[in-house]
Amino acid sequence: MRWVDFFLRLVRVILEAVSSVIFWIIYHGDSHTRLPPITNLILLESATSLATKIRNQKLTSEEVVKSFIVRIKEINPILNCVVDNRFDEALEDAKAADLLIRSGTIDVKTLEETKPFLGVPFTTKDCFAVKGLRQTAGLWSRRNIIAEEDADTVRIMRDAGGIPLCVTNVSELCMWWESANTIYGRTSNPYCTSRIVGGSSGGEGCIQSACGSPFGIGSDVGGSIRMPAFFNGIFGHKPTYGIVSNIGQEPIATGETMDFLVTGPMCKYVRDLTPMLKILAASNVHMLKLDQKVDIQNLRYFYIEDDGGSPLVTPVHSELRAAQHKIITHFEKAYGIKAKKITLRKLKAAVAIYFAKLGNVEEAPTFCQELALKQGEINVWLELVKWCMRLSKHTLPGLLLGVLEKLNNYSKNSGDFPKLLTMCADLRSEIKELLGEDGVLLFPSHPTTAPYHSQPLFRAFNFTYTAIINVLLFPSTQCPLGLASNGLPLGIQVVANHYQDHLSLAVAAELEKAFGGWVCPSEVP
């Protein structure tokens, strides 16, 4: 099999080299469109801080909501992150929240306990149902579908006092790691508009980083929270499987995919992650230990530098390796903690393991059926021909995923398929035993900083750094670590054991304190 690895690696290296030159030529002459400067300091507040000030009448919900509406109108022509909005309704909701607070019928402490985010606007990706807004999931045939009810998570956030503001752009059917589709086009990175925002929660990661929203909801089946959070320099948490409801989002998860797909918080500041997760977890919050105080000096730290050299995946960039080592040095110098470097050989097969797990889900609609709204399935070969003639309503990544799905189905009959499923179970057990109840794992969020637009087509399998964590079912927090020499965000994901989300969140708080967290892409007075 060594010659196969050699051949695959050679093909990948050639494709990457050629594509890097091509994309550099395409975008080298383009001037980066800078975002408008921050002139309203409300935009820099955390959601938790805004909620406190609104409750105590230091700010009104109306002025907060107006501030974010103005900011969205400034940035959206540049970034294209918002695809539908309820600005007028949100202002009415804000006025109602202010009226409730001024009435004094509910004291401040009770409001904090029952409606912790009263009057604070939030956003969510365009796969969650928000009553009255389009719910397209980036699929052309869903372009006119209007949500009649809220998704569970949207309803829960409303119950906590949050005000839905708008929905943000995604990839086609939320199954690619660049947020672009044939309805709304593509979303651009706030740090450099020639770069991607990730996917599928790319519009959400973008609006958070660009100060268009104080916090938001994302979902993650292969890194769709963590990759956009990484590329946009913010925090994103993929909770333990089965904690947060997925009801009300498209496409609908079925079978084992219900465990792989998770819903979680995305925000600029780590202090908002835990309060938001408490709300989203709803009746399952008791399964986590979010109120348990964590002494980071009492944790055990492990780190993995890369996936072991998969021939299909780009090697981890030197600046990302250096950022990881800065973390290790920090813990050693500040707390006398020595992180242990480990090697998990099965990670080299992460690409194959992930697709084997997806292909093993029984009675779930195929991707080609989902592209046809489950009314039969698209003819992916015909659509590829139509795409070449600019006649298809599907994206090229969507069609190529359809092709990959068919090839993956053929491979189910091979002897390697059950071996891959066993490898996944063994890898899960190995990491679970390693972490126990007091261990965390530092693992790259992605092998490179944000690529150019369309460049993921030439690095198709780089998403497996996040995707493997989905099929292993572990919680993971993506943490920003400042900017690279190219001005794009660096980051790391902190992985904890099942139901030990509080550990990765605690480490995230330490990393924000030590390395500064989110860096505003706009000029700040």
Side-chain angles (χ1 to χ4, degrees):
M1 294 295 289
R2 288 184 178 179
W3 70 269
V4 175
D5 280 4
F6 174 80
F7 175 75
L8 291 174
R9 183 173 286 107
L10 180 63
V11 171
R12 175 185 58 75
V13 169
I14 292 172
L15 280 174
E16 284 200 0
V18 172
S19 67
S20 294
V21 172
I22 292 172
F23 285 110
W24 184 85
I25 292 172
I26 291 172
Y27 292 108
H28 180 61
D30 286 4
S31 58
H32 166 55
T33 306
R34 293 190 173 276
L35 299 185
I38 300 294
T39 57
N40 184 342
L41 296 183
I42 287 176
L43 302 175
L44 298 178
E45 297 268 5
S46 69
T48 305
S49 173
L50 288 173
T52 301
K53 291 183 177 182
I54 291 171
R55 276 195 304 272
N56 290 283
Q57 300 186 57
K58 301 289 178 63
L59 287 173
T60 66
S61 174
E62 185 177 3
E63 66 181 309
V64 169
V65 170
K66 279 183 178 178
S67 297
F68 284 101
I69 291 173
V70 169
R71 180 63 176 175
I72 289 170
K73 289 180 178 179
E74 287 179 339
I75 63 173
N76 208 49
I78 300 170
L79 302 176
N80 188 37
C81 51
V82 173
V83 296
D84 201 4
N85 70 77
R86 56 184 303 277
F87 291 161
D88 292 340
E89 295 89 340
L91 285 170
E92 291 303 313
D93 292 344
K95 291 174 184 177
D98 290 333
L99 185 62
L100 174 63
I101 293 167
R102 286 197 301 268
S103 71
T105 53
I106 305 177
D107 62 84
V108 172
K109 185 177 180 181
T110 303
L111 284 177
E112 183 178 4
E113 292 173 351
T114 59
K115 293 186 177 295
F117 286 113
L118 181 61
V120 181
F122 71 94
T123 48
T124 187
K125 63 191 288 191
D126 176 28
C127 70
F128 290 99
V130 179
K131 186 176 180 179
L133 297 187
R134 288 181 177 84
Q135 185 190 16
T136 74
L139 184 62
W140 176 264
S141 55
R142 291 185 58 89
R143 67 193 181 280
N144 295 319
I145 292 180
I146 307 294
E148 297 180 357
E149 300 292 339
D150 288 333
D152 276 3
T153 47
V154 174
R155 174 183 53 78
I156 290 166
M157 285 302 298
R158 279 194 201 250
D159 291 344
I163 298 174
L165 194 56
C166 58
V167 290
T168 51
N169 206 23
V170 297
S171 53
E172 186 175 23
L173 269 184
C174 301
M175 287 298 288
W176 184 239
W177 54 282
E178 177 170 10
S179 290
N181 55 68
T182 56
I183 309 172
Y184 302 117
R186 71 186 185 194
T187 302
S188 296
N189 193 297
Y191 294 92
C192 180
T193 49
S194 63
R195 305 285 182 144
I196 73 168
V197 293
S200 61
S201 308
E204 195 55 41
C206 177
I207 196 173
Q208 298 298 324
S209 182
C211 299
S213 170
F215 63 164
I217 305 171
S219 61
D220 190 317
V221 75
S224 291
I225 287 174
R226 289 158 292 148
M227 278 190 294
F230 168 71
F231 292 140
N232 292 282
I234 64 167
F235 290 90
H237 181 68
K238 181 195 92 67
T240 296
Y241 68 103
I243 295 293
V244 181
S245 172
N246 291 321
I247 295 174
Q249 67 171 297
E250 288 285 343
I252 299 169
T254 57
E256 198 175 3
T257 312
M258 294 177 69
D259 291 336
F260 305 156
L261 176 64
V262 293
T263 297
M266 302 175 70
C267 50
K268 298 187 291 293
Y269 303 108
V270 75
R271 68 184 71 102
D272 290 332
L273 288 177
T274 298
M276 192 176 178
L277 182 55
K278 285 182 179 180
I279 293 167
L280 294 177
S283 60
N284 290 329
V285 71
H286 68 281
M287 299 170 69
L288 304 178
K289 306 170 186 176
L290 298 178
D291 288 323
Q292 182 173 308
K293 189 173 181 180
V294 177
D295 186 344
I296 61 167
Q297 296 185 72
N298 293 332
L299 299 182
R300 293 177 301 120
Y301 296 83
F302 304 92
Y303 69 99
I304 298 176
E305 292 183 329
D306 55 40
D307 65 354
S310 167
L312 296 172
V313 180
T314 306
V316 176
H317 191 272
S318 58
E319 287 192 75
L320 288 163
R321 288 180 181 270
Q324 186 185 55
H325 281 278
K326 285 180 182 178
I327 297 172
I328 295 162
T329 301
H330 164 72
F331 281 114
E332 188 168 359
K333 288 186 175 180
Y335 301 105
I337 298 169
K338 192 158 183 71
K340 182 179 180 180
K341 181 180 177 180
I342 62 169
T343 301
L344 298 172
R345 293 185 179 181
K346 295 181 182 69
L347 278 178
K348 190 175 179 181
V351 175
I353 289 172
Y354 180 74
F355 283 108
K357 289 297 288 183
L358 285 189
N360 194 51
V361 178
E362 297 181 0
E363 298 181 3
T366 67
F367 186 65
C368 289
Q369 289 172 339
E370 292 282 7
L371 289 173
L373 280 180
K374 303 186 188 74
Q375 306 295 316
E377 69 174 45
I378 67 164
N379 183 327
V380 69
W381 309 109
L382 176 60
E383 288 297 330
L384 279 169
V385 173
K386 290 168 63 178
W387 185 89
C388 292
M389 300 169 66
R390 297 188 177 185
L391 297 175
S392 178
K393 295 300 184 182
H394 298 288
T395 61
L396 180 58
L399 296 176
L400 293 178
L401 284 169
V403 172
L404 185 62
E405 178 184 62
K406 290 187 177 298
L407 296 176
N408 193 42
N409 287 337
Y410 297 145
S411 70
K412 288 177 70 173
N413 298 321
S414 72
D416 288 339
F417 203 81
K419 291 179 184 177
L420 291 168
L421 299 178
T422 300
M423 285 176 68
C424 184
D426 291 345
L427 184 57
R428 184 186 301 162
S429 297
E430 189 176 352
I431 296 176
K432 188 173 182 179
E433 183 177 350
L434 175 77
L435 296 180
E437 294 188 354
D438 62 349
V440 293
L441 173 64
L442 302 173
F443 190 56
S445 297
H446 200 78
T448 72
T449 55
Y452 290 111
H453 290 298
S454 299
Q455 199 172 14
L457 285 167
F458 299 88
R459 301 175 174 181
F461 301 107
N462 282 2
F463 75 97
T464 51
Y465 271 89
T466 49
I468 190 64
I469 305 300
N470 288 78
V471 294
L472 296 175
L473 309 178
F474 294 109
S476 175
T477 309
Q478 142 60 30
C479 309
L481 296 172
L483 304 181
S485 58
N486 59 8
L488 295 169
L490 298 167
I492 193 84
Q493 57 177 326
V494 183
V495 181
N497 214 336
H498 302 146
Y499 306 106
Q500 304 297 320
D501 299 52
H502 63 300
L503 300 186
S504 67
L505 293 169
V507 174
E510 174 65 21
L511 296 183
E512 182 185 53
K513 185 170 66 174
F515 298 98
W518 165 75
V519 178
C520 187
S522 292
E523 182 182 341
V524 178

